[in-house]
Amino acid sequence: MEKIYEMAIIGAGPAGIAVAVESRTMGIEDILLLEKSHSHSATIREFYKNGKRVDKEWKGQKIDCEGNIVFTEGTKESTLNLFEKLLAAHEIDTVFNTEAESVKKLDSIFVITTSNNQKFKAENVVIAIGKMGKPNRPDYKIPPQLRSKIDFNLDRCRPKEDILVVGGGNSAAEYACALVESNRVTLSYRKERFTKLNEENLQQIENCVKKGALRLKLNSQIEKIQQIDEKVGVFFRDKTVEKFDRIVYAIGGTTPVEFLKRCSLELKGDSLEVDENFMTPITGLFAAGDIVCDTGGSIVAALNHGYKIASYVAGRKRGVK
Ligand SMILES: Cc1cc2nc3c(=O)[nH]c(=O)nc-3n(C[C@H](O)[C@H](O)[C@H](O)COP(=O)(O)OP(=O)(O)OC[C@H]3O[C@@H](n4cnc5c(N)ncnc54)[C@H](O)[C@@H]3O)c2cc1C
């Protein structure tokens, strides 16, 4: 007979891993975790710089861990290690390189269809796909010949490059401060001061600027980019034009609207509507992590969503509401 999982989770980031681990801890047996990348926690792996300090209070969110997963601040590496160990210790059946394309409810069972046309059935499904699968792009055109010089993380940055980092959040600040070690760096932000930075990042930016290692371009709006002399020519609204070897955009991510439509879900604002147990308007279909956070979530928030969902599903199984 075709297997029907009690709990299928789409996305093995902090939220998905938390749902899986908490569910296992609470006695849910058949758990499936689907991940489109080759390993878990793709956002942390791809968008955190190596050695990054991982804050527990991200974006000023002071939240305590409610569930069984103990998360304290650490580094990119220690955070990945924590999730690696949790998946192994709880023997979570994780299927990598598998991208979910849609979720449909047929009678009372959900069918998840993947991009390679596999089908998985489950009684409960949790969508935990985050928002970084599609990093935000600028609203002006990126000329095709500049594509090799435009990035959304630090992977392709090389020492000695003259780099423009665009953004005003903690990710942009961390990218800029990491690059100053071996590059000429300019940080461009459209507002006149930073309002979203945590104290540590603000301090680091100030230190880098004081040392002359980082140039700030506040109140700077980019109108277009264009190739000039093999470089990226940046045209600012104040009519100045500058040339850089590379631009790194750190301007957040986009909710995957099309995927949600294929799950018969609609957005309210920039996030999904869920109840106090993180259930969507479709009974048995839950959402957790960044995808339910309007203004950007955090690891602790994602872990707590996972705990809430597992508690609810396990409680329902025991006949407790
Ligand atoms: C640069 C940067 C720095 C940050 N620093 C911090 C910090 O210091 N502290 C902190 O608390 N937070 C930080 N955050 C935020 C934190 O990373 C997120 O809040 C957290 O990762 C959200 O977890 P999530 O599980 O909801 O989503 P994600 O971590 O984005 O995980 C989603 C997972 O789902 C997978 N996926 C996507 N679509 C599909 C699909 N269709 N099928 C299967 N799998 C899919 C992805 O590959 C990914 O592995 C930072 C974010 C960024 C970008």
Side-chain angles (χ1 to χ4, degrees):
M1 212 167 63
E2 209 178 348
K3 179 155 187 158
I4 299 179
Y5 290 90
E6 280 184 271
M7 177 76 93
I9 304 145
I10 303 172
I17 294 172
V19 178
V21 167
E22 299 285 7
S23 297
R24 176 73 87 229
T25 309
M26 292 179 206
I28 294 172
E29 274 151 34
D30 288 323
I31 303 169
L32 170 72
L33 181 55
L34 295 177
E35 168 56 48
K36 73 172 177 182
S37 175
H38 63 90
S39 187
H40 63 90
S41 311
T43 293
I44 296 177
R45 227 171 270 281
E46 285 174 32
F47 293 97
Y48 289 19
K49 65 189 171 71
N50 292 339
K52 170 184 150 52
R53 185 192 70 248
V54 176
D55 300 315
K56 191 171 172 216
E57 287 178 14
W58 179 242
K59 293 190 177 167
Q61 303 175 71
K62 292 191 195 322
I63 320 172
D64 289 326
C65 291
E66 293 167 5
N68 296 294
I69 298 174
V70 180
F71 175 74
T72 50
E73 64 184 19
T75 59
K76 167 182 177 174
E77 291 71 19
S78 68
T79 306
L80 287 174
N81 196 27
L82 167 75
F83 291 132
E84 184 84 41
K85 282 193 174 149
L86 283 168
L87 286 176
H90 293 84
E91 296 177 357
I92 305 297
D93 183 6
T94 313
V95 184
F96 293 109
N97 298 310
T98 301
E99 178 170 8
E101 255 190 6
S102 68
V103 180
K104 295 274 173 252
K105 194 172 186 182
L106 303 171
D107 300 323
S108 58
I109 297 297
F110 291 97
V111 179
I112 302 171
T113 306
T114 69
S115 55
N116 54 0
N117 225 11
Q118 283 178 280
K119 296 208 187 295
F120 296 95
K121 291 188 174 177
E123 292 166 14
N124 299 285
V125 173
V126 182
I127 298 172
I129 59 177
K131 290 183 178 174
M132 290 306 290
K134 242 182 146 191
N136 282 338
R137 301 172 74 81
D139 48 15
Y140 42 87
K141 198 171 169 264
I142 296 176
Q145 66 272 29
L146 285 181
R147 276 187 199 143
S148 61
K149 300 175 194 312
I150 302 298
D151 286 303
F152 299 88
N153 61 27
L154 303 185
D155 288 356
R156 295 194 298 181
C157 297
R158 295 289 164 262
K160 298 204 168 61
E161 283 184 331
D162 189 355
I163 298 178
L164 177 69
V165 177
V166 179
N170 285 303
S171 312
E174 289 177 4
Y175 283 175
C177 292
L179 287 167
V180 297
E181 305 283 320
S182 46
N183 297 85
R184 284 181 57 199
V185 187
T186 305
L187 176 59
S188 162
Y189 184 37
R190 62 194 159 83
K191 296 199 177 157
E192 62 188 17
R193 60 191 182 86
F194 295 106
T195 51
K196 296 190 280 186
L197 295 188
N198 62 35
E199 261 167 46
E200 247 171 304
N201 284 335
L202 193 57
Q203 190 67 54
Q204 288 217 28
I205 290 277
E206 281 170 7
N207 290 345
C208 290
V209 171
K210 250 189 227 152
K211 280 192 289 184
L214 173 67
R215 185 164 73 102
L216 281 190
K217 250 181 109 64
L218 293 172
N219 232 336
S220 69
Q221 306 241 18
I222 300 172
E223 285 195 323
K224 65 171 179 175
I225 58 172
Q226 193 175 296
Q227 184 162 359
I228 308 178
D229 308 332
E230 300 298 310
K231 300 216 175 217
V232 189
V234 180
F235 293 71
F236 292 94
R237 187 160 292 171
D238 64 6
K239 304 292 171 215
T240 54
V241 181
E242 296 190 30
K243 290 186 282 184
F244 298 92
D245 294 315
R246 183 174 299 285
I247 301 186
V248 177
Y249 291 96
I251 48 178
T254 304
T255 310
V257 182
E258 292 309 314
F259 172 80
L260 296 175
K261 275 190 197 155
R262 290 194 296 272
C263 303
S264 314
L265 293 172
E266 275 178 25
L267 284 181
K268 217 177 176 195
D270 194 34
S271 62
L272 268 178
E273 192 186 359
V274 286
D275 69 10
E276 68 278 14
N277 298 306
F278 293 88
M279 186 148 72
T280 68
I282 302 172
T283 305
L285 183 56
F286 300 81
D290 279 7
I291 194 116
V292 297
C293 299
D294 242 344
T295 51
S298 72
I299 294 175
V300 178
L303 298 180
N304 287 348
H305 299 172
Y307 173 67
K308 261 268 160 88
I309 293 170
S311 305
Y312 177 76
V313 173
R316 223 178 34 185
K317 189 178 169 184
R318 292 195 308 268
V320 190
K321 270 261 170 168

